[in-house]
Amino acid sequence: MSSNTDNPGLISGHAQYVKGAAVSAAGSVTGSESWQQSGEQQKDQGVQEMKAASEGRDPQSQGFGKVEEVAGKVAGCEGMEQEGAASKQE
């Protein structure tokens, strides 16, 4: 069984991004500038983590195919959606 150390970084990066988006949205709704800023910082951290984890990643051999593509659509993450589409192609 092979181990893929990139996946936890991708997953936690996406989770960080989604969390940041939720905090930012809550800040927008409540008018809390500090929440908006905190959410934007969390989103940026998530993006940086995803970029670092994706560096050198081959979607053909390390992607999750349709699951990754759909998760990208749901989360609004274009990169995840594209990598999922690329990994499901034969």
Side-chain angles (χ1 to χ4, degrees), residues 10 57 63-72 80-81 83-84 87:
L10 284 172
R57 179 176 178 249
F64 294 102
K66 185 70 173 175
V67 172
E68 187 175 21
E69 181 181 18
V70 170
M80 184 180 193
E81 186 178 341
E83 285 192 13
S87 67

Side-chain angles (χ1 to χ4, degrees), residues 17-67:
Y17 182 88
V18 170
K19 178 183 171 189
V23 170
S24 182
S28 293
V29 169
T30 63
S32 173
E33 195 171 308
S34 64
W35 277 39
Q36 288 174 329
Q37 290 174 349
S38 175
E40 291 303 317
Q41 289 174 343
Q42 290 176 4
K43 284 171 50 178
D44 289 343
Q45 289 171 348
V47 167
Q48 293 307 314
E49 188 173 345
M50 287 183 282
K51 284 181 180 178
S54 291
E55 209 168 274
R57 179 176 178 249
D58 177 17
Q60 292 296 325
S61 64
Q62 296 173 319
F64 294 102
K66 185 70 173 175
V67 172

